[in-house]
């Protein structure tokens, strides 16, 4: 199947700020003009449009059965994960996609070369990077069933990837305009929707989660 894996040098990516520093900077769509002046971006520049999209995305209401939060510090991310998992889960870990070979190719056909390995977790939190002058992660969790897999892939050019995939088993609350439905030609709630995670995204699961045999 054709898969797009953005390959970014994580050493050059913005880092999560310390909580005190992050909380000292406004993070609101309504303060966008002030933020553009703070970061010295022109109003109609690509950077300004990216900031606008990120702030709008972060302030959009979650769908039914979903919780979401945009976090700008590691402490805020851990707070959200703890709140989502509840007091009964004291330890958790991240899993992420890993590229085993170095290649400039971003988009190509990949073959699943081994049986996908289910991660036995009864809940999960997904955190996706968003474009911003410093690191912002859009973290969310759904009450409906989601299944996490680790998948071994090989590209046409022999790229090897240990990819994290998530399958959303109930999409009945998703917008009918969601890109997944247009790509797959299906309606909300009719079929599961699965997708791979890029290497700079994170999936949090309880540390008790184990691969199924």
């Amino acid at each position: 199947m054709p898969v797009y894996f953005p390959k970014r040098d994580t050493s050059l990516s913005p880092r999560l700020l310390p909580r005190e520093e992050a909380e000292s900077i406004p993070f609101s769509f309504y303060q966008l003009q002030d933020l553009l002046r703070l970061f010295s971006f022109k109003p109609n520049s690509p950077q300004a449009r990216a900031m606008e999209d990120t702030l709008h995305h972060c302030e959009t209401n979650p769908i039914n059965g979903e919780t979401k939060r945009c976090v700008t510090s590691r402490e805020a991310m851990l707070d959200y994960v703890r709140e989502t998992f509840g007091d009964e889960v004291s330890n958790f870990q991240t899993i992420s996609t890993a590229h085993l070979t170095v290649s400039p190719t971003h988009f190509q056909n990949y073959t699943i070369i081994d049986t996908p390995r289910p991660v036995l977790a009864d809940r999960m939190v997904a955190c996706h990077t968003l474009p911003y002058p410093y690191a912002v992660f859009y973290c969310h969790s759904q009450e409906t069933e989601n299944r996490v897999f680790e998948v071994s892939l090989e590209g046409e050019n022999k790229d090897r990837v240990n990819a994290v995939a998530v399958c959303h088993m109930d999409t009945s609350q998703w917008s009918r305009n969601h890109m997944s439905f247009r790509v797959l030609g299906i309606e909300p709630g009719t079929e599961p929707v699965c997708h791979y995670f890029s290497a700079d995204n994170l999936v949090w699961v309880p540390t008790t989660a184990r691969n199924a045999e």
Side-chain angles (χ1 to χ4, degrees):
M1 66 180 70
V3 181
Y4 173 74
F5 280 115
K7 297 175 182 177
R8 306 181 182 95
D9 185 345
T10 55
S11 66
L12 302 177
S13 299
R15 299 297 181 185
L16 286 166
L17 300 177
R19 187 199 294 270
E20 184 176 349
E21 183 178 356
E23 292 181 347
S24 71
I25 303 173
F27 190 79
S28 168
F29 182 81
Y30 294 103
Q31 294 174 287
L32 176 61
Q33 297 308 314
D34 294 333
L35 289 166
L36 294 180
R37 285 190 289 270
L38 175 65
F39 292 108
S40 301
F41 293 149
K42 295 181 178 180
N44 293 316
S45 65
Q47 296 92 336
R49 289 194 293 270
M51 288 181 66
E52 181 177 1
D53 289 344
T54 289
L55 291 169
H56 183 268
H57 186 70
C58 287
E59 295 180 10
T60 301
N61 291 329
I63 62 175
N64 291 337
E66 179 190 44
T67 64
K68 55 177 280 192
R69 185 177 303 169
C70 284
V71 300
T72 56
S73 70
R74 178 175 175 80
E75 295 91 341
M77 183 183 292
L78 293 173
D79 287 347
Y80 175 72
V81 174
R82 290 189 187 99
E83 292 170 17
T84 302
F85 287 165
D87 294 337
E88 66 274 17
V89 177
S90 57
N91 296 302
F92 33 82
Q93 62 184 355
T94 59
I95 56 176
S96 59
T97 291
H99 293 271
L100 307 183
T101 54
V102 178
S103 164
T105 304
H106 295 264
F107 182 76
Q108 63 176 312
N109 285 319
Y110 284 88
T111 299
I112 298 174
I113 59 175
D114 200 357
T115 303
R117 301 173 297 282
V119 177
L120 301 181
D122 60 354
R123 65 191 78 178
M124 57 157 281
V125 171
C127 292
H128 310 273
T129 55
L130 294 177
Y132 211 70
Y134 53 88
V136 173
F137 281 83
Y138 164 68
C139 297
H140 66 127
S141 182
Q142 296 177 344
E143 295 177 357
T144 54
E145 182 184 4
N146 299 284
R147 299 180 184 176
V148 184
F149 297 87
E150 293 179 321
V151 187
S152 296
L153 301 173
E154 183 174 87
E156 289 178 319
N157 69 348
K158 302 304 180 183
D159 272 3
R160 295 290 297 272
V161 183
N162 282 344
V164 173
V166 171
C167 291
H168 303 284
M169 308 307 292
D170 181 3
T171 61
S172 58
Q173 299 299 318
W174 292 19
S175 168
R176 303 185 73 86
N177 296 321
H178 196 285
M179 183 184 298
S180 297
F181 301 137
R182 298 199 300 271
V183 171
L184 298 174
I186 60 175
E187 296 291 326
T190 57
E191 299 287 345
V193 170
C194 303
H195 62 92
Y196 291 109
F197 278 65
S198 59
D200 58 357
N201 291 188
L202 303 173
V203 175
W204 291 87
V205 294
T207 53
T208 53
R210 291 290 185 272
N211 288 117
E213 296 297 334

